Amino acid sequence: MRIAVLLKQVPDIIEELEIAPDGLDLARDDLKYRLNEFDDYALEEALQLKSGAGAEVVALALDGEEADLILYTALAKGADRVIKVTGAPADARGARTGALALAEALRPLAPDLVLAGVQAPDDLEGQLPPLVGAALGLPHVNVVTGLELDGALARITQEFSGGLVAHLEGDLPLVVGVQASRAAPRYAAITRVRQAMASAKLEIVAVSAATVAPSPELRGLARPEATTHAEMIEGSADAVATRLVAILRERGFGGNR
């Protein structure tokens, strides 16, 4: 069995983010990057399935900032192969074009299972797993919190809002968008990452730069506008209630009663 895991490098949102002068992107020169959190869950789930089913785990990432580092980190964590996908169009950061590029790299691998994080913080679209599934002609399930394999059968737990869950079954091959793994993502010591860099092979797969999908037009980025602070109501219960009623009436609630 072969499990492919799609990894994405994203800006580390712990750092201060600045907007580029053209207003159409982040100022990326001084940005630090990290593995997308949900992709880390997908990788951990793949490694858990590997230990239970004896699968081969192949991690793929589009070429870009820190792509080599996150792929070697995947090796240090237990992946068997890592592939950097080059030649993708400049807008491949977007889910639609990125999905087509990744699907092109995935076809020769013929994976039994493709895992990806449910979403990434730089777009929040949550569309990469469905788009990859559509491009490959495979069924897909998103927002998955549990996954078990029984031969060629996958048993899936899918989460909905309000605490509702669905229990599904599907035949492999399929594409899964992972929201949570059964265990916390494992830590890879920097010494193991450096050892992987020195001894392991990073495979390169080139895809067609002409593969571009229609994407929403980005008109501009802006910081959130500063607003007034919340009003802290203090005093006795009667005083707080009186002030709260006055605020509601000021905002047009409650009529004159």
Side-chain angles (χ1 to χ4, degrees):
M1 177 179 294
R2 176 173 292 159
I3 302 174
V5 187
L6 308 181
L7 306 180
K8 183 178 184 181
Q9 60 275 24
V10 296
D12 191 338
I13 57 176
I14 294 178
E15 302 291 327
E16 184 71 21
L17 302 180
E18 299 291 341
I19 298 174
D22 64 3
L24 297 177
D25 196 3
L26 296 175
R28 295 182 177 269
D29 290 345
D30 298 321
L31 278 183
K32 293 182 180 179
Y33 290 82
R34 55 160 293 170
L35 174 62
N36 175 33
E37 177 185 7
F38 290 106
D39 294 344
D40 208 4
Y41 294 147
L43 176 60
E44 179 60 35
E45 189 63 25
L47 296 174
Q48 293 283 341
L49 292 171
K50 172 186 174 179
S51 64
E56 177 191 38
V57 174
V58 184
L60 300 89
L62 292 171
D63 193 10
E65 299 88 348
E66 306 294 343
D68 290 17
L69 179 59
I70 67 171
L71 288 170
Y72 281 119
T73 301
L75 279 173
K77 289 187 175 189
D80 300 290
R81 296 169 57 190
V82 289
I83 298 174
K84 181 167 68 173
V85 181
T86 65
D91 71 337
R93 284 194 184 97
R96 289 157 182 81
T97 298
L100 292 180
L102 289 166
E104 185 178 338
L106 285 166
R107 285 190 189 96
L109 291 174
D112 300 284
L113 181 64
V114 179
L115 301 183
V118 68
Q119 65 182 17
D122 55 352
D123 58 41
L124 297 178
E125 291 183 334
Q127 293 301 301
L128 183 68
L131 288 167
V132 169
L136 294 174
L138 297 178
H140 55 82
V141 184
N142 216 4
V143 199
V144 169
T145 56
L147 177 61
E148 295 180 358
L149 298 181
D150 183 3
L153 178 69
R155 294 189 175 92
I156 298 165
T157 302
Q158 186 182 32
E159 184 174 293
F160 296 92
S161 60
L164 299 176
V165 297
H167 299 287
L168 311 172
E169 290 186 351
D171 295 325
L172 302 180
L174 57 80
V175 180
V176 172
V178 176
Q179 179 167 292
S181 53
R182 69 188 72 184
R186 63 196 67 189
Y187 173 74
I190 189 63
T191 53
R192 296 195 64 182
V193 177
R194 289 174 178 167
Q195 184 180 21
M197 289 178 172
S199 60
K201 178 183 179 182
L202 179 66
E203 301 175 43
I204 308 293
V205 171
V207 298
S208 172
T211 304
V212 180
S215 297
E217 179 185 357
L218 177 62
R219 298 291 184 87
L221 299 176
R223 287 184 173 276
E225 294 183 7
T227 60
T228 56
H229 293 289
E231 178 181 343
M232 306 303 294
I233 305 174
E234 299 179 351
S236 66
D238 287 344
V240 170
T242 300
R243 178 57 186 147
L244 183 58
V245 169
I247 291 172
L248 292 174
R249 285 177 174 168
E250 290 169 6
R251 304 288 173 84
F253 298 97
N256 297 317
R257 290 184 298 172

